[in-house]
Amino acid sequence: MSYLLVPSTFMQNGAGPAFLADCPTRLAVEIISDKWAVLVLFGLSHQPRRHGELVDLIGGISRKVLTQTLRRLQQYGLVERRAEAPRRVEYSLTDLGRTLVEPIEVLTNWARDYGGAIVDFQEAAEAAAPARARAAG
Protein backbone atom coordinates (compact mmCIF):
# COMPACT_ATOMS: atom_id res chain seq x y z
CA MET A 1 0.00 0.00 0.00
CA SER A 2 1.38 3.38 -0.92
CA TYR A 3 1.34 5.93 1.87
CA LEU A 4 0.01 8.44 -0.64
CA LEU A 5 -3.15 6.43 -1.25
CA VAL A 6 -4.89 7.20 2.00
CA PRO A 7 -8.69 7.22 2.41
CA SER A 8 -10.02 10.73 2.83
CA THR A 9 -11.62 9.83 6.18
CA PHE A 10 -8.18 8.96 7.50
CA MET A 11 -6.84 12.35 6.44
CA GLN A 12 -9.87 14.12 7.93
CA ASN A 13 -9.15 12.58 11.31
CA GLY A 14 -5.88 14.52 11.28
CA ALA A 15 -3.67 11.45 11.57
CA GLY A 16 -2.12 11.77 8.11
CA PRO A 17 0.05 9.30 6.24
CA ALA A 18 3.02 9.56 8.62
CA PHE A 19 1.27 7.11 10.91
CA LEU A 20 1.08 4.31 8.36
CA ALA A 21 3.47 1.41 8.86
CA ASP A 22 5.03 1.68 5.40
CA CYS A 23 5.51 5.45 5.42
CA PRO A 24 9.01 6.80 4.66
CA THR A 25 8.63 9.29 7.51
CA ARG A 26 8.20 6.46 9.95
CA LEU A 27 11.30 4.75 8.58
CA ALA A 28 13.34 7.94 8.96
CA VAL A 29 12.20 8.35 12.56
CA GLU A 30 13.03 4.70 13.24
CA ILE A 31 16.55 5.21 11.92
CA ILE A 32 17.37 8.40 13.80
CA SER A 33 15.62 7.41 17.02
CA ASP A 34 18.12 4.60 17.59
CA LYS A 35 20.18 5.67 20.59
CA TRP A 36 23.53 5.49 18.78
CA ALA A 37 22.74 5.84 15.06
CA VAL A 38 22.93 9.64 14.87
CA LEU A 39 26.21 9.69 16.79
CA VAL A 40 27.71 7.03 14.52
CA LEU A 41 26.54 8.84 11.39
CA PHE A 42 27.93 12.12 12.67
CA GLY A 43 31.18 10.39 13.64
CA LEU A 44 31.58 9.26 10.05
CA SER A 45 30.54 12.60 8.55
CA HIS A 46 34.06 13.98 8.06
CA GLN A 47 36.08 10.89 7.18
CA PRO A 48 36.06 7.10 7.17
CA ARG A 49 36.91 5.60 10.52
CA ARG A 50 37.92 2.26 11.99
CA HIS A 51 35.82 0.52 14.61
CA GLY A 52 38.18 1.44 17.46
CA GLU A 53 38.27 5.08 16.37
CA LEU A 54 34.48 5.22 16.54
CA VAL A 55 34.47 3.65 20.01
CA ASP A 56 36.93 6.31 21.19
CA LEU A 57 35.04 9.12 19.45
CA ILE A 58 31.61 8.12 20.77
CA GLY A 59 31.85 7.96 24.53
CA GLY A 60 29.86 5.27 26.29
CA ILE A 61 29.19 2.92 23.39
CA SER A 62 30.33 -0.67 23.74
CA ARG A 63 32.10 -2.44 20.89
CA LYS A 64 29.19 -4.88 20.60
CA VAL A 65 26.56 -2.14 20.35
CA LEU A 66 28.69 -0.21 17.86
CA THR A 67 28.95 -3.33 15.70
CA GLN A 68 25.17 -3.82 15.86
CA THR A 69 24.56 -0.16 15.00
CA LEU A 70 26.99 -0.22 12.08
CA ARG A 71 25.35 -3.37 10.70
CA ARG A 72 21.90 -1.82 10.95
CA LEU A 73 23.10 1.36 9.21
CA GLN A 74 24.66 -0.82 6.49
CA GLN A 75 21.30 -2.57 6.01
CA TYR A 76 19.70 0.84 5.48
CA GLY A 77 22.35 1.72 2.88
CA LEU A 78 23.74 4.59 4.96
CA VAL A 79 27.14 3.15 5.87
CA GLU A 80 29.57 0.97 3.97
CA ARG A 81 32.20 -1.35 5.37
CA ARG A 82 35.50 -1.60 3.54
CA ALA A 83 38.03 -4.30 4.46
CA GLU A 84 41.48 -3.29 3.23
CA ALA A 85 43.27 -6.12 5.03
CA PRO A 86 42.17 -8.84 7.45
CA ARG A 87 42.47 -6.55 10.45
CA ARG A 88 42.01 -3.20 8.68
CA VAL A 89 38.32 -2.40 8.29
CA GLU A 90 36.98 1.10 7.78
CA TYR A 91 33.46 2.42 7.80
CA SER A 92 32.26 5.40 5.80
CA LEU A 93 29.04 7.08 4.83
CA THR A 94 27.48 6.19 1.52
CA ASP A 95 26.08 8.94 -0.71
CA LEU A 96 22.70 8.25 0.88
CA GLY A 97 24.23 8.42 4.36
CA ARG A 98 25.78 11.81 3.57
CA THR A 99 22.29 13.20 2.95
CA LEU A 100 21.67 12.90 6.70
CA VAL A 101 24.65 15.04 7.76
CA GLU A 102 22.83 18.36 7.34
CA PRO A 103 19.67 17.29 9.23
CA ILE A 104 21.87 15.89 12.02
CA GLU A 105 23.73 19.21 12.22
CA VAL A 106 20.39 21.05 12.47
CA LEU A 107 19.31 18.72 15.28
CA THR A 108 22.67 19.20 17.02
CA ASN A 109 22.30 22.98 16.83
CA TRP A 110 18.77 22.74 18.23
CA ALA A 111 20.04 20.60 21.13
CA ARG A 112 22.81 23.09 21.86
CA ASP A 113 20.37 26.03 21.75
CA TYR A 114 17.48 24.47 23.69
CA GLY A 115 18.94 21.55 25.66
CA GLY A 116 19.42 23.78 28.72
CA ALA A 117 15.75 24.79 28.64
CA ILE A 118 14.72 21.12 28.59
CA VAL A 119 16.98 20.32 31.54
CA ASP A 120 15.60 23.33 33.43
CA PHE A 121 12.04 22.16 32.77
CA GLN A 122 12.84 18.60 33.89
CA GLU A 123 14.49 19.83 37.09
CA ALA A 124 11.52 22.11 37.87
CA ALA A 125 9.07 19.27 37.25
CA GLU A 126 11.10 16.94 39.46
CA ALA A 127 11.24 19.54 42.25
CA ALA A 128 7.47 20.11 42.01
CA ALA A 129 6.61 16.38 42.09
CA PRO A 130 6.82 15.97 45.89
CA ALA A 131 4.56 19.01 46.40
CA ARG A 132 2.00 17.59 43.96
CA ALA A 133 2.15 14.20 45.72
CA ARG A 134 1.53 15.84 49.12
CA ALA A 135 -1.39 17.84 47.74
CA ALA A 136 -2.95 14.76 46.17
CA GLY A 137 -2.43 12.54 49.24
Side-chain angles (χ1 to χ4, degrees):
M1 176 177 151
S2 169
Y3 73 96
L4 295 175
L5 302 175
V6 179
S8 61
T9 55
F10 186 73
M11 291 299 292
Q12 290 170 356
N13 291 339
F19 292 97
L20 295 178
D22 61 349
C23 175
T25 303
R26 205 174 210 188
L27 177 60
V29 170
E30 179 182 316
I31 292 168
I32 65 169
S33 65
D34 176 271
K35 180 176 181 176
W36 299 105
V38 170
L39 296 173
V40 171
L41 291 168
F42 195 70
L44 295 172
S45 66
H46 296 293
Q47 66 188 44
R49 295 189 188 268
R50 296 180 67 187
H51 194 275
E53 291 175 308
L54 285 168
V55 169
D56 293 342
L57 185 66
I58 304 168
I61 191 170
S62 70
R63 290 183 170 278
K64 178 184 175 184
V65 170
L66 176 59
T67 298
Q68 292 169 341
T69 303
L70 286 164
R71 285 182 183 156
R72 194 168 30 260
L73 293 172
Q74 284 177 265
Q75 291 171 347
Y76 289 132
L78 303 173
V79 169
E80 73 178 351
R81 180 184 187 273
R82 193 171 33 245
E84 297 175 3
R87 304 209 27 101
R88 175 94 176 147
V89 177
E90 285 191 336
Y91 296 90
S92 60
L93 294 180
T94 63
D95 289 341
L96 183 60
R98 279 189 281 285
T99 65
L100 282 171
V101 172
E102 184 179 348
I104 290 170
E105 287 175 345
V106 168
L107 185 58
T108 300
N109 291 337
W110 180 87
R112 184 178 42 250
D113 293 344
Y114 299 104
I118 292 171
V119 170
D120 292 347
F121 180 83
Q122 289 175 321
E123 289 173 353
E126 189 175 297
R132 281 195 305 272
R134 283 192 305 272

